[in-house]
Every structure is written in C-alpha cells, then in structure tokens.
Amino acid sequence: MEQLAVVWRQMVLDRDAGADVRDLPGIAVRWADCRFPFWNCVTLTDVGAGAQLVGERLRQAAGIMRDKERPGFLWVFEGLLDESGRAALGPAAERAGLRYAFPGTGMAGDLLPLPEPTHPELTFVRATTDELLRAYADINARAYGFDLEDGRDGLLGSRLWKERVRAYLGLRDGTPVTCAATVEAQGRLFVLLVATEPGAERRGYGEAVTRKALHEGGRATGLARATLHATAAGAPVYPRIGFVPNSPMGFFTLRN
C-alpha cells in the first residue's frame, strides 16, 4: 500500500502538477483526472480495519470518485483488513455504489541483482522518446481494453518516464510487443505497467521484459528488493522471477 502511495504520487504529479494528491485519514488520493484510468487512484490506508470502518471508508472513497470528471479505481489491499473487514468488503462496496472490477495480488522479493535477460525472439529498447512511449502506452491500452488515446494521455510528453523510469519495450522483428518498467521508491524497485500485446501472450515475453526492467533498474540503483501489484494474468509469471505474494487486492470502480 505504501509503495502504491509513493509511486503514484510521482506518476500523478508528473501527469498534472495540480492533481489531487492527498493523504486523508484512512484514504490516500492519487488522482490526475486524466483519460488513463490507472492514474486516477484512491486506496484505503488503515491497518486492521474492521467491518464498520471498512464500510465508512468505502463510502468516503466512493464520494471522492463521484466528484471527479474521469473514471478511475479504488485499490483495496485485503491483507490490511481484519477478518470482519474482509468479510464485509463485498456487501459494503455494494452499498457504497462500487463495483468489483478485477482482482490483483501484491508481491515482493529480495531478488536483485538479476542476470542480463535474453529471449530468442526479442530485442530490448528503453523508452526514452515520445515515439517509444507511444508504443508503450498503446501496448498497455490494448492489453487492458482501453482506447489508445487513454493510454497516450497517461504517458506522452512525460520527462519522468523518459529520464527516471526505466521503461523497456520488447521488440519482435522490430515491432514492440511487450513492455515493463521499474522506478525507485523508498529503497525498493517498483515494477509497473507490464503488458503484452493481445495475441502475443504465453511466449515468455512479459517475463523477459520484466526481467530486463529489473536488471537495468537494479544495476542503476543497487537495490535488492522489488515490489509490484500483479493482475490475474501476470500473477503466475512473477514468482518465477522471485516475487512472493503477500496480499490479495481488489480493484473497484463506481457502479454507474
């Protein structure tokens, strides 16, 4: 949860210096109100929250989301809730007007440094130009079912992504087909926006490009520990690299 709050502060303020970045009691707001839904984020921050507090926080989070122009996600780290809070999460979200969107898993591991990765079908290039960032954004948009302009609105023109984020594309015959990035966050290397073109999955591309981003990030920073938030599609891949699951996650959107 803290890694999300730290990294998304950078990402959201990079996208819009006037973005809504607040740390409220029990809620962190990281909302750029842009077309890229992942840069519009609210997360619960209480540790050990029970059923009553979970219901209250979900109502507050939904209210924040309703005041925004663009849609985004509420991230809930279920491992931070107590047993009653976890049991109440689904019904409380329903009462707050939230809809369960998809599951995720928080993972971490002391796995760096990693050796230089290779893949027989891929070459790797760092995304340091708008042209390459556009390709990176488009892969994410297609992988997550967003409009291409949504992804581009999140990344194009970003100096942070060109200079401080180590974002890599995997190219097959010169065409970008997969991508992954790492960024330093409080003594850890955080992995973000890993995606593979639809139709190019199950060939080891995502694992290879994630290893590349970790290898280069670790070499540049000297860090040993890495963290990430995995979707269901990526969850089987990351343990092969050395990540250990530590908390189930739920992503919620407004029901309407």
Side-chain angles (χ1 to χ4, degrees), residues 32-77:
D33 222 13
C34 69
R35 291 186 55 166
F36 188 50
F38 285 131
W39 287 171
N40 302 332
C41 165
V42 179
T43 189
L44 306 189
T45 59
D46 293 300
V47 177
Q52 182 175 347
L53 185 56
V54 166
E56 178 182 343
R57 295 298 190 226
L58 291 178
R59 289 192 297 272
Q60 293 171 330
I64 292 169
M65 296 167 75
R66 288 192 189 96
D67 285 341
K68 304 303 182 184
E69 179 180 352
R70 300 286 186 181
F73 295 104
L74 166 66
W75 303 46
V76 179
F77 294 83

Side-chain angles (χ1 to χ4, degrees), residues 9 68 74-76 91 93 97 121 125 179 193 196 198 204-205 219 223 226 250:
R9 174 185 288 273
K68 304 303 182 184
L74 166 66
W75 303 46
V76 179
E121 299 175 14
V125 61
C179 60
L193 297 191
T196 297
Y205 294 168
R219 190 171 68 167
L223 295 174

